[in-house]
Amino acid sequence: MNGGTIEAPTIEYALLAPMLLIFGAAVVGVLVEAFAPRYLRKSIHVPLTLLALAGGFLLTILQAVREGVPTTPAAMGAVAVDGPALFIWGIILVLAFVSTLLINDDEQFVAQAAAVPGSSDEEAAVRHGYAQTEVYPLLLFSVGGMLLFPAANDLLVMFVALEVMSLPLYLLCGLARRRRLLSQEASVKYFLLGSFSSAFFLYGMALVYGYAGSIDLRAISSALGTVAGQDILLYVGVALLGVGLLFKIGAAPFQAWKPDVYQGAPTAITALMASTVLVAAFGAVLRVFWVALGNLDWDWRPVMWGVAILTMVVGAIVAITQTEIKRMLAYSSIAHAGFLLTGVIATGGPEQNQEALSAILFYLVAYGFATVGGFAVVTMVRDAGGEAGHLSRWAGLGKRAPLLAGIFAFFLLAFAGIPLTSGFFGKYAVFSAAVAADALPLVVVGVVASAIAAFFYVRVIVLMFFSEPAADGPSIAMPTVGTSAVVALAAAATVVLGVFPEPVLNLADQAASALFIR
């Protein structure tokens, strides 16, 4: 109050500029859908989406370089734009940009989503060359939610971000051009299970509010140990919050949605989800458990140990039984979520937390690029019914298309953590942090799970290069410029991060140096 007047609260718009740009572009995309002629929409959407994502990335860099890392939350304390948040924003925006290049393929998406599969309306839409251009504003809204999710400094904003991120993805999963019933089934499953997880998160937030009297993460941390007689509210609330967050990363036993959704969704959307959503979700997990519940780590770490072990084991073992390539990669993603959880558990003093956070950030970069590249290759291997999903159809691919098979084999070796790939340094970093935090048994389980996972990766490589191709084997689709660029960028990133990881490791270490705003 100054001279009898009340000063309006200030919102640091410069700090939120990358996120505001993405949401603004999404709104413009909606207006394009409403008012632009159908034949012009895609030619507007594609450059708009790419420019928005590139602009958001540049603004993120400028924020980190020119303004420095903020030390206080923005937007009246609702958003924490700190070093880890800026790094995660950069990862999300780059991976979303690369995924957009992959999405820019009309063969991926249905011509008219409202048409019943196999109906005359669908045939007419295909005949007229219709395209489901709503994909692009939905993508931007989801990316905006991904940016807000790991930066949210209170639980209510985090819940809103969770919904903004998830709702467009529920729709995007049901827009596959071929095998539409499978795609729609994936969309419904993701929506129903995602709704349950959101309900768990919301109910957990209410219970934690009942305990702490606040939904602000710093206030919750301050309330730990000072509120007497309300421990039941706290523990049940934390458990429900954990269910909602662990669902998003696909940790066991909340992983059931991943294989079905990854298989049914358009592969370009699967690539987006497998990379960017995982990055955003782990950012939110770290902020909740390290900032709000950091003083409670002796209580949640044993539970997280069990979740991490179960996730690694389930992902590695069940993947061996899979005969569909996208389902196998889904279980691979589950196993990698378990490896990342070993870094979440590696808490301790400030130096230990910094080492663990830096390792997680590097792992997210390495895994994100390899994942997008792997799914980009999957889009090019096709048979009469669309993408050749069954592993038997990949037999002899190394003789039909040796370059493509070699690149895919390289991505699989990166997933396995073979030296001279990005996956090796990612796993080494998180396992080293876990060992430093006296979590050696967890690391032993992780190494064993990695060895098991290597088996099914090598099995695919052997199938591609040491089997005879079938006479009616799949064809290799001529890649679009965007798909070629995605494969090239992902392969280059996987090579560089495997041979010369130091620059990105240093960036991750700088981002983690200030830890999270508290």
Side-chain angles (χ1 to χ4, degrees):
M1 184 173 293
N2 185 13
T5 62
I6 300 176
E7 295 181 359
T10 58
I11 299 177
E12 298 81 353
Y13 292 106
L15 298 179
L16 307 178
M19 187 165 51
L20 295 176
L21 175 63
I22 298 300
F23 280 124
V27 173
V28 172
V30 172
L31 296 177
V32 170
E33 283 296 316
F35 299 108
R38 184 185 293 272
Y39 68 91
L40 284 178
R41 291 175 189 171
K42 186 174 180 180
S43 61
I44 298 174
H45 278 308
V46 174
L48 173 67
T49 303
L50 292 174
L51 286 173
L53 294 170
F57 180 68
L58 291 176
L59 288 173
T60 302
I61 294 175
L62 289 175
Q63 173 62 45
V65 174
R66 293 179 58 188
E67 303 294 334
V69 178
T71 56
T72 57
M76 296 178 286
V79 181
V81 187
D82 45 26
L86 288 172
F87 192 91
I88 288 171
W89 283 7
I91 301 173
I92 292 171
L93 290 166
V94 170
L95 293 176
F97 184 93
V98 174
S99 298
T100 302
L101 297 177
L102 192 60
I103 288 170
N104 185 29
D105 182 357
D106 290 338
E107 290 297 316
Q108 288 280 320
F109 297 96
V110 64
Q112 190 170 21
V116 176
S119 66
S120 58
D121 290 338
E122 184 180 43
E123 294 176 0
V126 173
R127 189 167 56 251
H128 287 92
Y130 290 171
Q132 201 69 35
T133 52
E134 294 92 336
V135 168
Y136 296 98
L138 288 173
L139 166 69
L140 288 172
F141 275 118
S142 183
V143 171
M146 294 176 200
L147 298 182
L148 182 59
F149 194 37
N153 199 46
D154 72 57
L155 295 178
L156 185 59
V157 172
M158 188 171 288
F159 173 74
V160 172
L162 173 64
E163 295 305 297
V164 173
M165 175 182 73
S166 301
L167 289 173
L169 292 175
Y170 300 152
L171 297 173
L172 291 171
C173 286
L175 299 180
R177 189 178 189 89
R178 295 179 175 84
R179 298 172 183 165
R180 287 193 60 197
L181 292 178
L182 184 65
S183 177
Q184 291 172 358
E185 177 187 349
S187 178
V188 172
K189 284 181 178 178
Y190 192 23
F191 169 69
L192 291 176
L193 294 175
S195 299
F196 279 120
S197 73
S198 297
F200 279 117
F201 185 92
L202 191 60
Y203 191 29
M205 179 179 71
L207 293 179
V208 171
Y209 176 78
Y211 170 84
S214 176
I215 53 175
D216 181 79
L217 299 186
R218 181 168 55 181
I220 294 170
S221 178
S222 301
L224 298 178
T226 62
V227 177
Q230 302 291 334
D231 288 349
I232 295 297
L233 278 179
L234 174 64
Y235 291 129
V236 175
V238 169
L240 294 176
L241 285 176
V243 169
L245 292 171
L246 293 173
F247 174 88
K248 281 302 170 187
I249 66 173
F254 314 108
Q255 86 294 345
W257 63 276
K258 254 191 178 181
D260 292 337
V261 174
Y262 279 25
Q263 181 185 9
T267 304
I269 299 303
T270 304
L272 176 76
M273 293 168 56
S275 54
T276 55
V277 172
L278 188 73
V279 173
F282 262 100
V285 167
L286 288 168
R287 196 168 293 278
V288 169
F289 283 93
W290 283 22
V291 177
L293 306 174
N295 296 329
L296 201 68
D297 59 348
W298 282 103
D299 295 284
W300 59 256
R301 279 186 71 188
V303 178
M304 200 66 81
W305 267 63
V307 171
I309 291 172
L310 185 62
T311 303
M312 289 186 285
V313 171
V314 167
I317 292 179
V318 180
I320 296 175
T321 67
Q322 301 305 306
T323 58
E324 210 277 342
I325 190 72
K326 287 168 72 176
R327 292 184 70 89
M328 187 200 76
L329 293 176
Y331 280 104
S332 168
S333 174
I334 292 168
H336 281 282
F339 300 144
L340 282 161
L341 284 174
T342 62
V344 176
I345 294 167
T347 56
E351 291 185 1
Q352 175 57 42
N353 289 350
Q354 179 182 342
E355 179 184 356
L357 180 56
S358 174
I360 292 170
L361 295 177
F362 179 83
Y363 197 118
L364 291 172
V365 175
Y367 176 73
F369 275 106
T371 298
V372 174
F375 282 110
V377 173
V378 171
T379 65
M380 289 189 277
V381 183
R382 298 179 184 175
D383 53 24
E387 293 165 359
H390 200 279
L391 284 178
S392 62
R393 305 292 292 165
W394 289 63
L397 184 67
K399 299 178 181 179
R400 287 179 178 269
L403 179 60
L404 188 68
I407 293 173
F408 190 65
F410 182 65
F411 289 136
L412 293 178
L413 293 176
F415 292 146
I418 302 300
L420 298 182
T421 66
S422 58
F424 172 77
F425 285 104
K427 288 184 179 178
Y428 178 79
V430 293
F431 287 167
S432 297
V435 169
D438 298 325
L440 182 60
L442 193 62
V443 174
V444 172
V445 174
V447 172
V448 172
S450 297
I452 296 172
F455 169 77
F456 61 80
Y457 296 133
V458 173
R459 181 184 65 173
V460 177
I461 296 173
V462 170
L463 186 69
M464 290 191 297
F465 288 96
F466 298 98
S467 299
E468 290 299 322
D472 60 343
S475 61
I476 306 303
M478 181 62 67
T480 63
V481 175
T483 302
S484 301
V486 170
V487 174
L489 286 171
T494 304
V495 170
V496 171
L497 293 176
V499 176
F500 189 53
E502 188 174 357
V504 178
L505 283 171
N506 289 338
L507 281 175
D509 196 53
Q510 291 176 17
S513 61
L515 296 176
F516 291 102
I517 291 176
R518 295 179 180 270

